[in-house]
Structures are given as C-alpha cells and as structure tokens.
Amino acid sequence: MTQTPEALTTEQFQQAIIDKGQYYHIYHPFHVMMYEGRATQQQIQAWVANRYYYQINIPLKDAAIMANCPDQRVRQEWIQRMIDQDGEYPDGGGREAWLQLAESVGLSREQVISEELVLPGVRFAVDAYVNFARRASWREAASSSLTELFAPQIHQSRLDSWPQHYSWIDDKGYEYFRSRLSQARRDVEHGLTITLDSFTTFEQQERMLEILQFKLDILWTILDALTLAHVHNEAPYHTVTSKRVWHKGLFK
C-alpha cells in the first residue's frame, strides 16, 4: 500500500502558494506589452473594456462565498471585499473607479457598461470562476482569491510604467490601481489565514494548490483571448465577418 505523503508544514505550504506566483498574469505577453509601452490605445481600451467584466463579477463571486459560509466572523470580514468593489451608496467603489479608467483611456462608460466589447473567451473564463465559487465549499472558493497575493506587484507595475509610456491617459484613471495596493494586502492577510488553517492534510493542500492554479488559468486565459483578438487580429469569426457577432451574455 502506498503511504500518503505527510502534510506540508505551515511554512512549506505558504511557500508553495507563493511559488505559484511564477504563473501570475503579470508575465503574460499581453501584460508585458502594456508594461513596456508597446500597446496601442486600441489594445489598452480592449483590455480595460474586457477586464471590466471581471471587475463587476468579483462581488458576485464574493457574495457566493458568503452565501456558503456559516461563520459569522468570516462573513463580517469578507463583506468588505464587496463594499470595496461595489462601494456604498452613493459611492461607486472599485466599479466606479474602473469606469473612470475607461473614460481616461478614451472609452465611454456607456460602451463599457453595455459589455459589447467583451470577448466570449473572457466571458466564459470569468463565468467559470463565478460558477466555481457558487458550487465549491466556501473555504475552497476563498482560497482561490489568493492570487491577490501577487496583485500589489501588478498594480504597482501599472502605476510605474503607464504614466511614462501612455501620456494620453488622464491621471485620474489610475485611482483603482492606487486603492488596490492597500486593499489587496489586507485581503491577502485574511485569505491566507483561512487557507493555512483550513487545508492541513497533504490531499487538502494539493487540492488547494490546484484550485489556485485554476484561478491563475482564468487570469491567463483572459489575456489569451485579448491577444488573439487584438494582437493577432483573429477575433471570433474573423474569417467570415468583421462584425462582433458573438453573444452578449443573454444566457447568464
């Protein structure tokens, strides 16, 4: 009989989580292109418009986690993530900050809100993430959010490089990135505590690392779809039409 490997120590498990950062989408060619100043205005706009779909679904993901969580104290802390993104009336929170970014790169908020520029590959990836959060245990879904461990680096990279390379972007558009520097660090502390306390056997730790890889796959796939459509000019159905004929989320 094959003996089950021993569980990783807390330090080893945390390091295994950190090591997943090598697959974070900061290393995707599309993001590198934006960071190095090689992106066109149209490519920046496409990223902002498509990423909006991810942004507005994050509160739905967090609501699913809370709906499945019986622990009042966890819910009391986790709800702050929804408030950060949705804001408290009349403040629009992260969603409004993202729309300011959209306007700063030359898009209208009406166009972004309509989701007409959202690629099907992006929609499928984001919807898969929300559906996972609805079906999974709250602990597993919470651990999938630990890509935030790497988020401050990616937000700082945009704040460092975009003003230098894209002088046409209004500075007020960067407020979302600025706010997430502190918010992401706070969220990581909470999420990491839950994860390290919840996954204590080797099998559980292996599953959690696979879940984290799933989330990394989601983020990478979003940029894959953008690369195909806006770098290689091969948007869906490009061989038969130049129109955006793909569905607009009517079946959600």
Side-chain angles (χ1 to χ4, degrees):
M1 181 180 295
T2 303
Q3 186 174 4
T4 302
E6 291 186 2
L8 300 175
T9 65
T10 299
E11 293 75 18
Q12 290 171 333
F13 187 29
Q14 182 168 337
Q15 187 59 54
I17 293 170
I18 293 172
D19 288 346
K20 283 291 185 179
Q22 65 186 303
Y23 307 116
Y24 195 49
H25 62 157
I26 195 172
Y27 302 112
H28 192 286
F30 196 94
H31 187 273
V32 173
M33 178 183 68
M34 292 192 295
Y35 173 76
E36 293 180 346
R38 295 183 285 110
T40 65
Q41 182 172 3
Q42 187 272 336
Q43 288 167 335
I44 295 287
Q45 290 176 340
W47 177 79
V48 171
N50 278 269
R51 179 78 180 194
Y52 175 77
Y53 188 68
Y54 177 82
Q55 299 301 139
I56 64 173
N57 275 277
I58 291 301
L60 302 185
K61 177 267 299 184
D62 290 325
I65 292 173
M66 290 197 300
N68 292 330
C69 178
D71 190 319
Q72 179 187 16
R73 291 187 63 183
V74 172
R75 294 197 307 269
Q76 287 173 336
E77 287 192 61
W78 204 272
I79 197 172
Q80 185 59 49
R81 298 169 185 247
M82 293 180 61
I83 295 172
D84 289 342
Q85 292 294 337
D86 278 343
E88 294 182 284
Y89 185 82
D91 169 43
R95 178 185 296 221
E96 176 60 27
W98 198 268
L99 288 172
Q100 290 178 359
L101 172 62
E103 291 178 319
S104 294
V105 302
L107 293 166
S108 72
R109 63 174 51 216
E110 291 77 19
Q111 185 177 33
V112 175
I113 292 171
S114 75
E115 301 176 14
E116 66 182 70
L117 299 179
V118 177
L119 294 161
V122 173
R123 191 180 296 276
F124 293 150
V126 173
D127 289 353
Y129 184 36
V130 175
N131 289 330
F132 166 78
R134 288 170 175 159
R135 297 194 307 269
S137 72
W138 73 268
R139 296 178 187 274
E140 290 183 340
S143 71
S144 72
S145 297
L146 274 183
T147 50
E148 292 170 334
L149 186 65
F150 322 116
Q153 180 186 3
I154 206 169
H155 293 313
Q156 189 63 59
S157 75
R158 294 164 186 155
L159 291 170
D160 291 341
S161 67
W162 282 30
Q164 175 185 352
H165 296 304
Y166 310 113
S167 58
W168 48 270
I169 298 179
D170 191 322
D171 183 69
K172 70 180 181 181
Y174 296 126
E175 182 54 36
Y176 180 86
F177 304 143
R178 296 188 186 103
S179 65
R180 287 304 296 166
L181 288 175
S182 58
Q183 291 172 357
R185 292 187 179 97
R186 178 206 63 211
D187 293 345
V188 163
E189 183 177 349
H190 184 215
L192 191 58
T193 298
I194 291 172
T195 299
L196 295 177
D197 289 346
S198 299
F199 302 91
T200 56
T201 69
F202 179 80
E203 293 86 351
Q204 290 171 344
Q205 291 168 344
E206 284 290 289
R207 177 165 174 77
M208 181 272 153
L209 292 172
E210 187 68 8
I211 289 170
L212 185 57
Q213 186 61 57
F214 162 74
K215 174 61 180 307
L216 291 164
D217 293 349
I218 294 293
L219 298 173
W220 198 274
T221 297
I222 289 172
L223 294 184
D224 280 349
L226 281 162
T227 299
L228 194 63
H230 297 287
V231 176
H232 300 301
N233 299 314
E234 295 181 354
Y237 311 107
H238 71 281
T239 57
V240 293
T241 181
S242 60
K243 297 179 181 179
R244 297 192 290 266
V245 296
W246 51 83
H247 80 284
K248 307 300 190 296
L250 300 177
F251 310 107
K252 187 174 180 180

